[in-house]
Structures are given as C-alpha cells and as structure tokens.
Amino acid sequence: MVRRGPPPKGHKARARKGVAVAGGRAARIAAASKGERDTAAAGEPRGAVAKRGSRRAEASDTPQAAPARTARPARRGAAPEDAAARSAQDPQDAAQRGGRRGVARNARNDEARSAHEGTTRHARGPASDSAHDHASRNAADDATGGDAPFDTPRRTHDDADAAPPRPITGARDAAKRGPAAEPRATVRPAAASRRRAAARPSEPPPLPTKAELRAFLAQARGRVGKSDIARHFGLWPDQRQDLRALMRELAAEGGATPAGKRAIIAPGNLPEIAPVEITGTDPDGDPVARPLQWQGEGRPPIIYMHPEPRGQRALTAGERVLARLKPIGPGKYEGRTFKRIAGAPPARILGVFEEGRIIPTDRRQKGIWEVPRGEEGGAKPGEIVLAEPLPSIRHFGAKPARIVERLGVMGEPRSVSLVCIHAHGIPDVFPAEAVQQAERARGVAARGRTDLRDVPLITIDGADARDFDDAVFAEPDGDGWRILVAIADVAHYVTPGSALDREAWARGNSVYFPDRVVPMLPEALSNGWCSLRPDEDRGCLFVDMRFDRQGIKQSHQFGRGIMRSVARLTYEQVQAAADAPAGTPTPVTADARASSRGTGQASDAAEAQGASPAGASTGAKPACPATATAPSPADTLPEGHIARLYGAFRALLGAREKRGTLDLDVPERKVVLDAHGRVAEVAPRARLDSHRLIEEFMVAANVCAAEELERLSQPCMYRVHDRPSDQKLEGLRQFLGTFDITLPQADRLHPRDFARVLDKVRDTPQARLVNEAVLRGQSQAAYAPDNLGHFGLALPRYAHFTSPIRRYADLLVHRALIRGLKLGTDGLQESEAARFPDTAEHITSTERRAAAAERDAVDRYLAAFMATRIGEAFDARISGVTRFGLFVTLEENGASGIVPLGSLPDDRWDLDEATQTLAGRRTRLTFSLGQAVEARLAEATPRTGGMVFHILQGIPGSGRKRPAGKGGRARR
C-alpha cells in the first residue's frame, strides 16, 4: 500500500534530529552510516557493519523470507541500528516506494529546487558525512542526467540554521569521523533551470516608462506592489531602488494613488479594502457609499454596500466603515463591511417628517425611514427633523429610526439654509467660552503701531456685506503707482490656543447662504472689532507696495498699524463714479445702501478651480433694486480719488495680461429674496471693473505676503493650484477637438493657452459651455505648507492674506508675518507650525464643504422658485451627456436638471464619449454637448433641489417644428 498525502506530523523535525524515517533509500543509508560511525567509535571494524547489512539483504531475497511490508517510522527513542535493520529488510520494495514518493515530491518541490539553481552541495551543507552517502548521490546524478533523486535527503537552509556542521578540531573528532571523506560533489542545476539561466540576458532590462506603468496599473484590478511590477517587466533585483523612485514620482504626479505603504493603484481604481462613507440609500433601501480617499479624476465611484448581518445596526448617511470592495462595472463597486471605523460621527438622518415616515432631504438617499410609535420626539408633519437609525433585522422596505431633534418647518423662511447646514455638518453654534472671549474684546491702542488714520482708505464690498476686512488706497508715485492695502488685525483678538482659535480652526472658513451667513468668528468680532467700519479706529496689518507704470512691483513693506476708513462703498457705487463724467453726482440705489450680510465667498469658488477670483459677493438682496436720489458716499471723497484707484488698477491689469492668466467668464447665479424670505428672482450676477480692481489689489498683496515669508524663512500656508492632470487634460482636449480647437502638450501648457481657447469662442453660442468645460478641466486649488505655485494665476508663489475674518489660512499668514517681522508676541507658535500639514488638509476640506453647501442652497432655492412653473417650456442647452440621460441648463436663470433616458423617444441610444454625443439607432436623433434645445419642466423638488426636464425634440423628418415661444411660456 502506497501512502498518499502529506507526510506524518513531525516528519521534518525527526529528520533533523537524526531519527530514521521509513520510506526510502536515504533513510537506510543515513541509519547505516550512523551505525558504522557508532560502531567505529566503539572499536568494531567498519567492515563488520557492512557485512551484517549484506547478510540481512541476502536473507531477505531468499524464498523463505517473510513477506515485505511497509516499514513504519522508528520510535523517537529507538536505536539507529534497529531502524537501519528494519529499513534494510526489503531494499527493492523500499526503493520502489521511495521512487513513487520521489515522483510526488518532484512535483511539489520543482519550484523550490529551481530557486536554488547554481548552488553547490558544499554551500547547502552536508546531509550525511558517510562515503556511502556521496557514492549513492553521485550514482543517482549519473543515472538521471544531473538531477539528484528526491529520495536523497538534501539539507535546506533551515536545516543549516538548526544544526550547523562542526569543524574537526582535534584527534578525538577525527577518530569519530573515521577516514577522510571524499570531496563534496557539486549538484548540477535542473534542465529547466539551465534553460532559464541560458535565456537570461546579460544586461538588465530598461525600467518601464511612466506611460507603460500607467497602462499596467489600468489593467490591474487592485493594488500593485514592486514585486508585481518587477515580475511583469522582468526587472532584476538590483533595479528595485530605481523602481521605487519611479513609483514615487508617478504617485506625486497623480498618475497613481498610494495603496498602503508599499503599493500603488491606478487613480481611477480602488483597493480591495478601503475606508468609505455612507452617502445615502438606493431605491431598495440598501446603503450607498463613496470612498473617503478618492484621488482620481471626475466624480468618485459609487459603492453599493451589502445589508448588514441580522441583528446589526443598519448603515446610514455619514457613517464610515472599512469595506471590502469588488468592481462590478465602470465606476461601480460592491462593498461589504469589514469593520466600523471607531470615532466616526454618529449616523444621522436629515429629512422631513410626514405620515409617520422620514423622507430624506438628500437626493442621493432613495430610501424612506419609518418612525415607530413613541419615537416621534414630538415632531409634527412637515417638520425638518434629525433622526438616528434603530437596530433592525429588515433587509427590505422602510427601516426604523428615532427622531432626536426638530429643526423647523419645511417651506418657512431660512429653512433651506438650515437643511444645508445640517446636511453638510457645518457647525453653526459657538461654544459659550468663545462667545464670552469675543464679547470681552476692545479696540487696539495706537502705541507701537504705524498710524494710518490720515490716509483716506476706503472699503469696497458687496451691497449686502456686513464684515469689511480690507481697505485700499492708491496714488501716483513718480512714473508708477503706490498701492496701500490694509487688512483687519484678527490675530490681535484670536490668539493661538484660545477658545476662539480652536473654534475658528474647526470651522475653517465662513459659509454664505442667500438668507444667512455662518461666520468663522462670533458676530462681536466678525461684524464688530474686526470689521473696518467707516469713521472708527481699527487695528490692521498693511502692505505698502510700489509699482512702475507697467504694473511690475518694485518694492513692498509690511507693518502693523491703526487706521480709520473714510467711506464704505459698494462695487456698483465705485463703478458708477468711474463711469460718470467729472462733476456729475453719482446715483445710488437702495441696494447700495443696504447692509445685511457677508462678503466675497463666491469669488473663491472660481479660484478653487484655478480661475481668477471675482470680487463679487454672494447672497441675497433684501429687495429688488430701486433707484434713489440720495448722494453716494463716493461724492464725499477727495476729487480724483476713484480715478487714481482705476489708474493703478489698469497698470496691474496690463501686467496680468502680459503674464497670461486663466480668466474664465462663468456667470454666477444670484438669488434675491423678498421680505418674507421667498425667492423673488434668480439672475446672473454682474461682473464689473470694480470687482476686478479689488481682485488685482488683493492678488498683489497676497503675492507680497508669500514673498515676505520666504524672505524671512518663516512657515507659509501657500495657496497652491497645480496644472491639470493628464486624464482631465486628455478629456478636455477631446472635447475641444469637436470645435476644432487644439491644446499643446502637457509639459508645454501655460494658462495663456486656455486664454487663447476662450478668445476663440468669445461671443459665440458655445462660449458658456467651453468656459464651464475649461473650469471643470482644472485641478482644484488647495492649501499646502509646500509651494507648488499657482497655475491659474501664473504665479510662482501665492498665499491668502486679505480675508482673515472669514478664512483661517489668512490668519495663519498674519501670525507668521507678526513673528517674522517681530510685530508682537501674538505671532505663530512652533506647535502651530508643526501641524501645518494637518491644518492645510483640514482647511482645504472645510473650504470645499462650504462651497458644496452654498451650491446646494442655491439649487434648493432655485427649485423652489421653479416649482411654480412646472409645465412651462424654456430655452436650454445640453450641459451633460451620460449613459442614463442628459443634463440641461436653462438660458434664463442657469437652472439645471436631468433629462432621464426614459423620457427620450423610444429607441436604442448609443453614447460616444469622445464627442459627447447620444445617438438613436432607429430615429437617427442625436443629442450633443452644447446643443440648443427646448426643455419642459416636469418636476421640481425644493426639498432636495432636484429638477427633471423633458426635451421637446421631435423625430427628424416628422414635420414637427420647434415652438417659437420664449422661455417661460406655459404649455397647455
């Protein structure tokens, strides 16, 4: 009977200890050799042992010998001679059994033997010291063509470590060893190993290019390590260091995403295990998630999570888990919870309570939550509520939830912004300690500060601004210009480590909604001591800049001063004063006199994508414009004051045009509310030269701040904007190719190339679409302690210095300047500088959170405004083409919505991603990006901000004509 399967337990251990194991010639040889050595040591001649073994072999070959049977392993305490005697009872049968075992072991150990090709028997260490062992091994080599039989025991590296051979150091050891052993025989490599060695090139192969490595990553399904890359490209071990450097370069350029410490993954792929955040539910009520660390291009993939096991709490929006991921299609993954991440925020459900159920306010959540009796928390139908999920064993249908907080009634004034605040997790309540610290604030003393109260500084902000954090002044300086920019001294009031500082860090920035502002600092500071109100003394940090007539900076100087604004002007007032003939009074509107809320956050939305920041502020006007006869504050300024500002502005603008920057013309939507908080109008926001004037002055001051901190060798929180990634640039190049517009290669790309593209489509129907496409093709701006330059502004260094009331990054730059210039004891602390990388990541995320919340608020207000116009037809353009339908944007007010694929004529629709076209096979109907269409509003949901349109496009050749009515015409 032949034993099949693995050897008995302890097989290797007994072999290492010298205990004989039945089943092969090697065991008999080893035992016989051991017996001869022991006998020789006892004084018995070596030949006696050989004779005994020969007689036993002859006896076993006679007919009277007992039947052969499988030898059993020797007992742990058995003598070696007995084991050798039992093993030698039937040498022929044992050899046959050993041969069969050798064939099985040959298959199992082929890979292990090939790994040791070229090594000698001497390097491996002897398996037996007897001459019989060498003779049998050499004979086996001759018989097999160089491959030693697997019956012959070979000492492995583990064996060498466990029992290294002892050198012969004396006569006693020599006597034990007996006669000198013959030289060690060299084991020749196997045939396959010899062929591999012969085929191996003499020179190492070249490293793969970045393009080849990106292609390999794109084909791989998961994470890829150095070994995988080296194996695929046939690299040698001494090329590992260069390969590691290549992987780091590729990750730094965005061509790969780190996956763990020693692996990378394609930017568009996710690793097998990754942290995800639940964003909503699908129509079946199962959770849907997004990756937390998405670094690819475009929207992150959708992850469909499996329901939790029976008895486990369901996953809800906002919860974070570590999930096992499996790709199930383009941009889609299947996920299973591996571990719930400790410290994740408690999952909350935000929705409207109606008829015992909670309808989520997030359009991404398709499920509905049921509130059991007794868990309503006093909520009434129609109220906005926060709820938390309850444990459930349901996998289908509505899941149970408990209401924990009532927020207000849906449809009331300020309810939209309330929903956005809680949906995005924006903190809106200040701790009592921070409020008390702000209320104890007082004005600054003039001692130790530069007195600027005689300089006629003015503030220029939006008509509805309440916090004024920058003031400007300009005058001729020889052939050039002197520009003075003064910024509120927020660092004087918000000291490092204080309650105000901790809360400002947590918020990161102010958030502006059409009906309210969520400030970074309490109102006592943001609208009080840190606001540069007219005719009031305020502390400031200022920069005094000198430019030549071409707008090239000659010098700058920073200082800490005390100032007094002489006027608070709006953009409209300044523009009207600049356009009015000399001596003509400037008209002023009721909007210009209004002062109800914050400033300039919308301008950062464009800059976050690399575009030039617009000076316009976001928000609502309390009423529709109405011209008044009151004099403008601009008329009280010294003669020529506004003209001098514009003179300096034109010099800076000329330098900017020579520099070649990315100046996008993307209109912003402006929501106008009436006295009852309802939407009165949604219109594009005007962009005036007065906006650009403040923009140029602020950019110049920001550049000076970055240069000064570098000169002082101080830490700087840079505002960085990288060039477009290869993937985004390729998509943009394909899109522009449909308009016969080309772009240079990535390594030769400059912002002026985009300016050339925008000039080609200016005043054409495609202008708006191309501007939006170029904006989406840019990388997002971010904060970083390391300088990468600002691609959109074509600047080698840039930092934010001009808005410390509403941006924490500006406050850090102020503190660094104070420390570097020794302007006070409230400068940057070493502990703050040490955590700059973490702070940069945090404030970048809070800025993007604020931008998303502001967009959601405008979408919800716009949906509420359009809800009364369902059924009307509007002029629109196709702004998106996808597999599941189209997206259209109305020409009238910029409202956007989806056109479901099911609402199109019955056909089989093919998507051409290169040309962004959706074509019908039977109808020959084609919809392309930028195409003008007429769309009818079918659905508008203020609760989620979603709108659904149907395209009124007939089948070609049917004779149907496009209606001649304008947008907004009701269809019956």
Side-chain angles (χ1 to χ4, degrees):
M1 176 179 177
V2 179
R3 177 182 178 85
R4 300 184 182 272
K9 294 183 178 179
H11 172 273
K12 294 182 179 180
R14 290 195 297 273
R16 291 174 187 170
K17 294 180 180 179
V19 179
V21 180
R25 181 178 54 191
R28 296 193 304 274
I29 294 174
S33 301
K34 184 71 165 57
E36 288 185 2
R37 288 197 300 270
D38 294 344
T39 305
E44 186 177 358
R46 184 181 296 268
V49 180
K51 290 178 181 180
R52 285 203 306 269
S54 176
R55 286 194 298 270
R56 291 195 185 102
E58 293 173 359
S60 62
D61 291 337
T62 59
Q64 292 81 9
R69 58 179 180 176
T70 303
R72 297 181 180 178
R75 295 188 303 274
R76 185 176 301 273
E81 292 83 351
D82 297 338
R86 287 194 298 270
S87 300
Q89 289 180 1
D90 193 350
Q92 183 177 1
D93 183 66
Q96 294 176 357
R97 292 196 302 271
R100 286 192 292 267
R101 290 193 182 96
V103 172
R105 275 194 298 273
N106 186 26
R108 292 196 301 269
N109 297 332
D110 179 72
E111 182 178 356
R113 196 175 69 222
S114 63
H116 295 280
E117 56 177 302
T119 58
T120 62
R121 185 65 181 169
H122 179 69
R124 293 170 181 258
S128 174
D129 293 331
S130 65
H132 299 278
D133 191 19
H134 296 300
S136 61
R137 189 178 299 112
N138 292 335
D141 288 345
D142 295 336
T144 59
D147 292 337
F150 277 83
D151 289 355
T152 305
R154 296 188 175 185
R155 188 179 182 88
T156 64
H157 292 292
D158 292 338
D159 297 333
D161 294 338
R166 292 186 304 166
I168 301 177
T169 56
R172 181 177 302 177
D173 292 330
K176 290 182 179 181
R177 292 289 303 270
E182 60 187 60
R184 301 292 184 185
T186 301
V187 179
R188 286 169 287 178
S193 300
R194 291 198 305 272
R195 287 194 297 269
R196 285 194 295 269
R200 185 175 182 179
S202 58
E203 296 292 335
L207 285 174
T209 64
K210 293 180 181 179
E212 294 173 342
L213 190 53
R214 279 194 294 266
F216 174 64
L217 292 178
Q219 296 175 357
R221 298 181 61 87
R223 49 185 289 169
V224 175
K226 293 190 303 293
S227 300
D228 302 319
I229 299 174
R231 189 180 304 111
H232 179 79
F233 293 100
L235 303 181
W236 290 13
D238 52 2
Q239 294 178 286
R240 293 293 183 94
Q241 187 174 358
D242 296 335
L243 177 60
R244 191 180 300 111
L246 178 63
M247 294 169 62
R248 284 197 297 264
E249 291 178 7
L250 191 65
E253 295 175 359
T257 302
K261 294 183 178 181
R262 300 182 179 179
I264 56 177
I265 195 171
N269 296 342
L270 295 177
E272 297 177 358
I273 297 182
V276 301
E277 180 179 6
I278 308 301
T279 58
T281 55
D282 61 11
D284 295 330
D286 293 331
V288 178
R290 66 171 181 86
L292 278 177
Q293 300 173 353
W294 173 247
Q295 298 181 7
E297 302 297 338
R299 296 183 178 180
I302 300 176
I303 303 172
Y304 297 95
M305 299 294 295
H306 274 262
E308 296 298 285
R310 182 181 298 271
Q312 293 288 335
R313 180 173 57 83
L315 298 174
T316 55
E319 193 168 3
R320 298 178 178 182
V321 299
L322 200 62
R324 293 185 181 274
L325 305 179
K326 177 183 177 182
I328 57 176
K332 297 179 181 180
Y333 286 82
E334 179 184 79
R336 293 179 181 270
T337 301
F338 177 72
K339 180 181 179 182
R340 295 180 185 250
I341 299 177
R348 293 293 183 93
I349 307 159
L350 179 66
V352 180
F353 180 58
E354 293 180 0
E355 299 180 354
R357 293 191 171 191
I358 300 174
I359 303 176
T361 58
D362 190 345
R363 72 185 75 173
R364 296 169 297 183
Q365 296 188 29
K366 306 300 183 182
I368 297 179
W369 298 83
E370 185 178 31
V371 180
R373 187 178 301 275
E375 302 291 352
E376 299 88 350
K380 299 177 181 179
E383 285 189 333
I384 306 170
V385 297
L386 273 176
E388 60 183 12
L390 295 173
S392 173
I393 60 174
R394 302 180 188 174
H395 290 314
F396 302 98
K399 295 179 173 58
R402 176 194 300 117
I403 295 177
V404 296
E405 187 177 353
R406 300 159 57 192
L407 304 178
V409 179
M410 192 67 189
E412 287 186 349
R414 301 167 67 88
S415 62
V416 170
S417 58
L418 191 65
V419 168
C420 296
I421 288 171
H422 286 83
H424 292 272
I426 297 172
D428 60 336
V429 178
F430 284 98
E433 186 180 1
V435 174
Q436 294 171 2
Q437 182 181 348
E439 292 176 347
R440 291 194 299 266
R442 295 295 180 266
V444 301
R447 183 178 180 182
R449 292 176 177 265
T450 303
D451 195 342
L452 301 177
R453 286 175 287 189
D454 293 335
V455 180
L457 290 158
I458 62 172
T459 62
I460 305 176
D461 293 279
D464 42 14
R466 297 179 63 186
D467 48 350
F468 318 126
D469 51 9
D470 57 83
V472 296
F473 169 78
E475 65 179 359
D477 181 43
D479 291 338
W481 295 93
R482 176 197 179 199
I483 300 177
L484 185 66
V485 175
I487 308 298
D489 190 359
V490 179
H492 174 77
Y493 299 99
V494 184
T495 55
S498 62
L500 278 173
D501 183 53
R502 292 193 298 270
E503 184 64 17
W505 185 92
R507 298 188 176 212
N509 47 261
S510 299
V511 188
Y512 295 91
F513 297 107
D515 61 345
R516 73 172 80 192
V517 59
V518 181
M520 186 182 76
L521 301 175
E523 188 173 356
L525 291 180
S526 60
N527 297 340
W529 292 109
C530 293
S531 184
L532 306 181
R533 295 175 176 177
D535 301 323
E536 296 183 12
D537 291 352
R538 289 291 184 266
C540 68
L541 260 69
F542 67 89
V543 55
D544 194 347
M545 301 172 286
R546 310 291 172 127
F547 297 86
D548 62 15
R549 60 188 306 174
Q550 284 81 29
I552 306 300
K553 184 172 67 70
Q554 303 300 307
S555 64
H556 69 261
Q557 180 181 1
F558 281 88
R560 204 169 193 180
I562 185 170
M563 60 156 287
R564 178 180 294 177
S565 172
V566 298
R568 176 270 197 268
L569 301 179
T570 66
Y571 294 108
E572 293 78 12
Q573 290 172 346
V574 173
Q575 190 64 47
D579 296 339
T584 304
T586 304
V588 64
T589 62
D591 284 348
R593 296 195 309 271
S595 176
S596 63
R597 84 143 207 89
T599 132
Q601 184 75 5
S603 63
D604 295 337
E607 191 205 352
Q609 294 289 345
S612 302
S617 63
T618 64
K621 290 185 177 182
C624 294
T627 302
T629 58
S632 168
D635 297 335
T636 63
L637 296 175
E639 186 177 355
H641 192 94
I642 300 297
R644 289 189 288 271
L645 289 174
Y646 272 81
F649 158 63
R650 292 188 185 95
L652 296 181
L653 186 61
R656 178 193 184 114
E657 291 175 350
K658 291 181 181 178
R659 194 169 70 240
T661 63
L662 178 61
D663 193 3
L664 296 173
D665 185 14
V666 180
E668 299 177 10
R669 293 174 295 179
K670 182 178 181 180
V671 177
V672 181
L673 304 180
D674 60 18
H676 303 288
R678 298 185 181 90
V679 182
E681 180 186 4
V682 179
R685 187 183 301 277
R687 178 167 167 80
L688 308 173
D689 281 345
S690 55
H691 293 116
R692 305 188 70 181
L693 183 151
I694 292 299
E695 173 188 325
E696 290 301 323
F697 283 17
M698 299 303 111
V699 168
N702 289 336
V703 171
C704 291
E707 293 177 351
E708 187 71 7
L709 289 177
E710 288 187 357
R711 184 185 70 84
L712 297 170
S713 300
Q714 292 293 321
C716 180
M717 185 60 71
Y718 292 97
R719 180 68 168 178
V720 299
H721 176 236
D722 203 357
R723 64 179 60 249
S725 64
D726 293 342
Q727 186 174 355
K728 279 190 174 182
L729 193 59
E730 184 60 30
L732 181 60
R733 186 177 283 110
Q734 292 180 2
F735 168 72
L736 295 177
T738 61
F739 302 102
D740 295 328
I741 300 175
T742 60
L743 282 175
Q745 296 300 320
D747 55 347
R748 294 184 284 110
L749 191 66
H750 191 273
R752 67 171 61 93
D753 297 317
F754 290 108
R756 177 180 54 82
V757 170
L758 300 179
D759 288 339
K760 283 187 176 182
V761 299
R762 197 180 306 277
D763 300 327
T764 65
Q766 294 81 20
R768 180 175 176 178
L769 184 63
V770 172
N771 274 268
E772 292 177 350
V774 172
L775 177 62
R776 289 194 298 266
Q778 302 302 311
S779 300
Q780 284 189 298
Y783 294 104
D786 300 321
N787 183 28
L788 299 178
H790 199 291
F791 177 79
L793 296 176
L795 293 170
R797 58 191 58 82
Y798 192 66
H800 274 167
F801 163 76
T802 56
S803 298
I805 292 179
R806 61 185 180 92
R807 291 190 305 229
Y808 193 79
D810 302 55
L811 178 58
L812 293 176
V813 171
H814 279 222
R815 289 174 178 170
L817 288 170
I818 292 171
R819 185 175 82 166
L821 296 171
K822 298 179 173 56
L823 299 177
T825 59
D826 48 0
L828 189 70
Q829 303 294 325
E830 287 296 336
S831 57
E832 288 183 288
R835 65 171 186 167
F836 256 35
D838 295 336
T839 299
E841 182 178 353
H842 171 71
I843 60 181
T844 297
S845 64
T846 58
E847 178 196 42
R848 294 176 182 176
R849 177 185 66 183
E854 291 168 358
R855 286 194 302 268
D856 283 355
V858 172
D859 289 343
R860 284 184 166 91
Y861 272 115
L862 196 53
F865 177 67
M866 298 291 291
T868 59
R869 308 178 66 179
I870 292 178
E872 296 186 17
F874 303 88
D875 292 329
R877 287 191 179 276
I878 296 177
S879 56
V881 182
T882 65
R883 298 178 184 276
F884 50 84
L886 307 171
F887 287 92
V888 295
T889 301
L890 304 187
E891 299 283 1
E892 177 182 326
N893 52 27
S896 298
I898 188 173
V899 179
L901 193 65
S903 68
L904 298 178
D906 188 16
D907 202 345
R908 184 175 182 83
W909 297 92
D910 296 326
L911 174 65
D912 187 347
E913 295 184 355
T915 60
Q916 290 290 288
T917 301
L918 197 65
R921 295 185 179 180
R922 181 177 58 81
T923 63
R924 303 295 181 182
L925 199 60
T926 300
F927 297 105
S928 58
L929 195 64
Q931 178 180 343
V933 295
E934 188 177 23
R936 178 173 59 85
L937 179 62
E939 180 182 339
T941 310
R943 173 175 47 82
T944 62
M947 283 180 279
V948 178
F949 292 89
H950 292 166
I951 290 183
L952 302 178
Q953 184 85 15
I955 300 177
S958 64
R960 179 179 177 179
K961 296 183 179 179
R962 183 177 181 274
K966 298 293 183 182
R969 178 175 58 83
R971 299 181 59 87
R972 298 182 182 277

